Amino acid sequence: MTTHEDYLEGETIAYLIDFVDPRTGKIRFRVYYQDAPSDGAFGTIPPEALSEHSVDLALLCVGNWNTVENHDSDLIINNLRPQEVILGHWEDFFRPQDKGLRPAPAQSVRKFQRLIEARMKEIGKGGDHVTLPAPQVLKVFNIAEGA
């Protein structure tokens, strides 16, 4: 039987993805993506990049967040100051897809969600700006003209 310990581990990678208006060359929408939880200092964005355009959407990984030494959601949220957060990689991917979604075993998904919601409230965004996605739910982001 294969367990989670049989899977190879790699480096944690973070991306800053900009959607640029082709007419003006200005950033219209910025996405931050981190593929695994990490020490809060890993993946921080330099202030000069954030002064150019803030983070509109942060895609944060839930899986194993509570096993990361020095995990610091304060540092992540305070650095990014995102408008919205979507939490990903929280589901039990060993469960057959026809059985429906459930949190991965031994994960504190709701605890992580509450933690991020609290951090978002601290920076003035509110917990309603944090989404734990569900199947068949569409999330639409309005990218205003000239933004």
Side-chain angles (χ1 to χ4, degrees), residues 7-53:
Y7 287 91
L8 296 176
E9 293 184 29
E11 293 183 47
T12 298
I13 298 173
Y15 299 96
L16 191 60
I17 304 164
D18 292 335
F19 293 86
V20 177
D21 185 322
R23 293 171 293 138
T24 64
K26 295 195 183 278
I27 299 167
R28 294 281 303 278
F29 196 80
R30 176 169 272 176
V31 177
Y32 173 87
Y33 171 76
Q34 192 172 51
D35 72 345
S38 69
D39 175 317
F42 178 84
T44 56
I45 306 301
E48 55 274 8
L50 290 171
S51 68
E52 181 183 14
H53 190 92

Side-chain angles (χ1 to χ4, degrees), residues 77-143:
I77 297 300
N78 285 335
N79 172 247
L80 299 177
R81 303 186 72 76
Q83 297 300 312
E84 298 279 337
V85 176
I86 294 178
L87 304 175
H89 193 55
W90 59 269
E91 70 283 356
D92 181 356
F93 56 84
F94 291 110
R95 183 178 170 91
Q97 290 184 351
D98 63 347
K99 301 290 184 196
L101 288 178
R102 72 173 180 201
Q107 294 301 303
S108 302
V109 176
R110 295 291 180 207
K111 184 175 180 181
F112 185 75
Q113 182 178 9
R114 287 191 303 271
L115 187 65
I116 297 299
E117 287 170 349
R119 299 300 172 259
M120 289 292 282
K121 286 177 185 173
E122 288 171 7
I123 65 166
K125 303 295 184 207
D128 58 333
H129 292 269
V130 179
T131 305
L132 187 66
Q136 308 299 318
V137 174
L138 177 65
K139 181 86 172 172
V140 177
F141 297 93
N142 184 16
I143 302 174

Side-chain angles (χ1 to χ4, degrees), residues 34 37-42 64-76 115:
Q34 192 172 51
S38 69
D39 175 317
F42 178 84
N64 292 331
W65 73 273
N66 53 335
T67 65
V68 174
E69 189 174 330
N70 300 321
H71 183 272
D72 188 349
S73 60
D74 284 340
L75 183 57
I76 293 167
L115 187 65

